[in-house]
Amino acid sequence: MNRNDLRRVDMNLLVIFEALMFEKNLTRVAEKLFMGQPAVSAALGRLRDLFDDPLLLRNGRGMEPTPRALAILKELQPAMDTISGAVSRAKDFDPSTSCAVFRIGLSDDAEFGLFPPLLSQLREEAPGIVVVVRRANYLLMSSLLASGEITVGVSYTTELPANAKRKKLRDIPCKVLRGDDGVEPLTLDAYCARPHAMVSFSGDLSGNIDLDLARIGRARRVVLAVPQFSGLRALLAGTQIIATVPDYAACALTEGTTLRAEDPPFAIDAAELSMVWSGVHDNDPAERWLRARIAEHMAQAV
């Protein structure tokens, strides 16, 4: 196929193809691209004709890409990233008049403890924009970036897509959150003897805190795991249960409540909170503005 033949290819089909490869579900693609399911089904039929391959095959209740489809995706993604970046860089960005939609992935601690002042600043500078926040953590961040469901994320991160970029925002020092009426700081013995609550994205009952305790030959007893930090405010008040949380989450949780935060009675290795983004958006003026505001409000003061 030469360049003139490309005129016969609908670029919208390629966007739908990419979404289908990640979602493997017609309904989810329709919701993601704001299309009707019959339109997505028709587009899949045209894609099958274009590539002369079934592309997606039924596998139980789901659908799986064919080997040919995966090979096509591997070839198309870099080209689509390049096109998207070229179009984005050609646009000027004026926050005061923009109606852009920004899609941000935030871990629960960042959303609860750091996002509110950021949102206020974004709304002040760019009252016409729309901000979509997706719940993200180190398990989800890579796939959300790779699929284009978010363009930037803030979380503790591990593995990322090859074209992703990362910037450290801050360390994540911890505080012990308590809602009892005691006045003395907790000793290590008291800390280990108390019942503990933890925020667990996956339902696990242990985490990095337990590894730090194990290094000094100690352990704690987790009696409660909740999926988000906001729930701790009511659950800890007036009880003996304690929780070890990032310092910025502790600040938000204690504000206007009877809860209080204190330093842990042992050394905790601080994790890093990072901002990550897709390399294709590295020079996008709107995304650069957003990342600058995120760094301004979520980075550690130096």
Side-chain angles (χ1 to χ4, degrees):
M1 178 179 287
N2 59 40
R3 296 295 176 89
N4 288 334
D5 292 331
L6 283 175
R7 292 180 300 172
R8 302 200 306 267
V9 179
D10 183 352
M11 281 294 296
N12 290 322
L13 284 178
L14 302 184
V15 174
I16 296 170
F17 170 77
E18 184 181 44
L20 284 167
M21 292 301 101
F22 284 111
E23 298 294 341
K24 306 179 184 66
N25 183 284
L26 299 183
T27 301
R28 288 200 296 269
V29 170
E31 292 172 350
K32 179 179 178 180
L33 300 181
F34 304 102
M35 299 171 63
Q37 185 170 329
V40 175
S41 181
L44 177 57
R46 294 172 62 192
L47 284 162
R48 284 168 168 164
D49 290 339
L50 176 65
F51 293 118
D52 192 25
D53 187 86
L55 301 179
L56 284 171
L57 296 174
R58 288 286 176 188
N59 182 10
R61 293 186 177 182
M63 303 181 78
E64 290 298 327
T66 65
R68 171 68 175 144
L70 294 174
I72 293 169
L73 178 66
K74 187 175 181 179
E75 291 182 357
L76 277 180
Q77 270 198 293
M80 294 178 69
D81 286 346
T82 299
I83 293 169
S84 176
V87 172
S88 296
R89 288 189 291 272
K91 297 179 180 178
D92 291 328
F93 178 71
D94 181 355
S96 66
T97 60
S98 175
C99 296
V101 177
F102 292 102
R103 299 183 181 275
I104 309 173
L106 296 176
S107 58
D108 183 65
D109 55 314
E111 180 185 347
F112 182 73
L114 299 172
F115 181 60
L118 168 64
L119 180 61
S120 295
Q121 183 67 37
L122 296 181
R123 295 288 302 150
E124 180 179 338
E125 290 188 38
I129 66 170
V130 176
V131 179
V132 179
V133 175
R134 296 290 302 273
R135 179 60 52 80
N137 54 50
Y138 72 97
L139 298 172
L140 300 174
M141 189 67 75
S142 183
S143 61
L144 288 171
L145 282 172
S147 67
E149 293 175 73
I150 61 172
T151 58
V152 61
V154 176
S155 175
Y156 163 77
T157 55
T158 52
E159 296 298 321
L160 293 171
N163 71 336
K165 296 182 178 292
R166 185 198 322 248
K167 174 184 174 65
K168 176 184 174 181
L169 295 176
R170 64 195 299 152
D171 292 321
I172 310 178
C174 289
K175 294 286 188 179
V176 179
L177 200 66
R178 54 190 292 195
D180 61 278
D181 56 4
V183 294
E184 294 297 324
L186 293 172
T187 64
L188 179 58
D189 286 340
Y191 178 92
C192 294
R194 287 284 191 97
H196 288 252
M198 67 177 290
V199 176
S200 175
F201 306 115
S202 58
D204 292 335
L205 293 176
S206 63
N208 291 336
I209 299 299
D210 300 279
L211 297 177
D212 291 320
L213 283 169
R215 277 193 283 270
I216 58 173
R218 305 301 293 265
R220 64 175 178 171
R221 181 170 59 96
V222 175
V223 301
L224 173 67
V226 294
Q228 54 193 31
F229 284 87
S230 58
L232 294 175
R233 180 180 282 125
L235 295 170
L236 267 58
T239 76
Q240 292 294 302
I241 302 174
I242 59 176
T244 308
V245 302
D247 60 348
Y248 47 84
C251 184
L253 283 162
T254 56
E255 185 176 358
T257 73
T258 58
L259 299 183
R260 64 191 189 280
E262 60 187 49
D263 292 331
F266 63 101
I268 296 176
D269 286 344
E272 292 184 357
L273 189 73
S274 296
M275 175 171 63
V276 296
W277 65 95
S278 171
V280 69
H281 297 291
D282 194 36
N283 292 315
D284 183 313
E287 293 290 332
R288 291 177 66 180
W289 170 83
L290 175 63
R291 293 197 302 269
R293 296 302 173 271
I294 290 174
E296 178 183 344
H297 286 275
M298 294 190 174
Q300 199 164 25
V302 292

